[in-house]
Amino acid sequence: MVTATPDARPRGTRLPRLARRRQLLGAAQEVFVAQGYHAAAMDEIAERAGVSKPVLYQHFPGKLELYLALLDEHAEALVKIVRDALESTTDNKMRVQASMQAFYDFVAGDGEAYRLVFESDLRNVAPVRARVDRANQQCAEMIAQVIAEDTSAPTDEAYLLGMGLVGMAEVSARYWLSQQRAIPKDTAEKIIARLAWRGISGFPMSTEPS
């Protein structure tokens, strides 16, 4: 994931293209998270990164392209940590707990990157909405696949359950953070995992063919 760069690099410092791109993304993340897309200015992002505007435009032709590059990175990071959580164990109860933890880890991550995915002020802009929806759908599909494989739930029902678990994890994690982490993170994760498990465990396990 992109790491924020609070200290602007002095102008004139030459960097390899990839390193420069990551520096620009780090500066952009700080500005977008703090101000939202509409209030953010390319001038400020360039200044935060310690580069001229022409250098910024060499890497990103416009503010939307810069925002979408950030969104792509963080949406992919969310999908990856959920995938890793599901693959971390074959015990379904622990899978539920690991999946809830993945969302809490993402929301609690450095730089408040989760705001770009879950709280974007561009949700009604087609390319942004498509990326956010795709990330949610991928997470739900991965969870649904496990449910469909291990229970007798039809595919459509498994997907609905998967999307419900994603929504539960996302909304509860964002609420927990908004309350200044009044409940310890591991406690909050366990509470929501317990709620999710009590619901999902009520679906009968599939019987293996003899």
Side-chain angles (χ1 to χ4, degrees):
M1 294 176 63
V2 171
T3 55
T5 53
D7 298 322
R9 182 179 294 271
R11 290 181 183 271
T13 302
R14 295 187 64 84
L15 290 175
R17 183 172 181 82
L18 181 58
R20 178 68 78 192
R21 176 183 171 88
R22 298 197 68 81
Q23 179 201 19
L24 296 174
L25 288 171
Q29 179 177 320
E30 291 183 339
V31 176
F32 284 135
V33 166
Q35 301 183 18
Y37 177 83
H38 295 294
M42 293 292 271
D43 284 338
E44 183 176 357
I45 293 170
E47 182 177 353
R48 184 73 60 95
V51 302
S52 65
K53 275 183 67 176
V55 169
L56 178 57
Y57 281 112
Q58 284 174 9
H59 292 264
F60 302 99
K63 187 166 72 167
L64 180 59
E65 288 79 10
L66 178 53
Y67 189 90
L68 292 175
L70 264 177
L71 181 57
D72 282 338
E73 286 209 6
H74 293 304
E76 289 169 9
L78 172 62
V79 172
K80 182 181 185 304
I81 63 172
V82 172
R83 180 184 297 111
D84 291 346
L86 291 169
E87 294 176 352
S88 65
T89 177
T90 57
D91 181 280
N92 285 325
K93 184 175 182 180
M94 295 305 296
R95 273 178 173 155
V96 170
Q97 185 167 326
S99 298
M100 296 299 127
Q101 181 181 342
F103 277 88
Y104 277 75
D105 286 345
F106 183 73
V107 167
D110 291 338
E112 299 185 86
Y114 78 94
R115 295 187 185 279
L116 301 173
V117 180
F118 296 144
E119 299 178 1
S120 172
D121 54 354
L122 286 183
R123 289 293 289 266
N124 290 327
V125 175
V128 173
R129 184 174 64 248
R131 285 163 168 80
V132 173
D133 288 348
R134 183 168 64 244
N136 284 331
Q137 289 166 3
Q138 287 178 311
C139 290
E141 286 168 0
M142 290 186 293
I143 294 171
Q145 183 176 353
V146 174
I147 294 171
E149 289 173 354
D150 290 352
T151 75
S152 56
T155 301
D156 288 346
E157 292 183 12
Y159 183 80
L160 180 61
L161 289 167
M163 189 59 77
L165 290 171
V166 166
M168 179 188 296
E170 175 201 330
V171 172
S172 67
R174 290 197 291 120
Y175 173 78
W176 165 77
L177 192 64
S178 75
Q179 300 304 298
Q180 288 74 51
R181 312 182 189 216
I183 300 173
K185 177 172 171 289
D186 61 341
T187 301
E189 293 165 357
K190 290 175 182 176
I191 289 172
I192 298 302
R194 190 179 308 131
L195 173 63
W197 176 245
R198 286 181 176 176
I200 201 69
S201 64
F203 288 80
M205 294 290 291
S206 300
T207 56
E208 294 292 334
S210 56

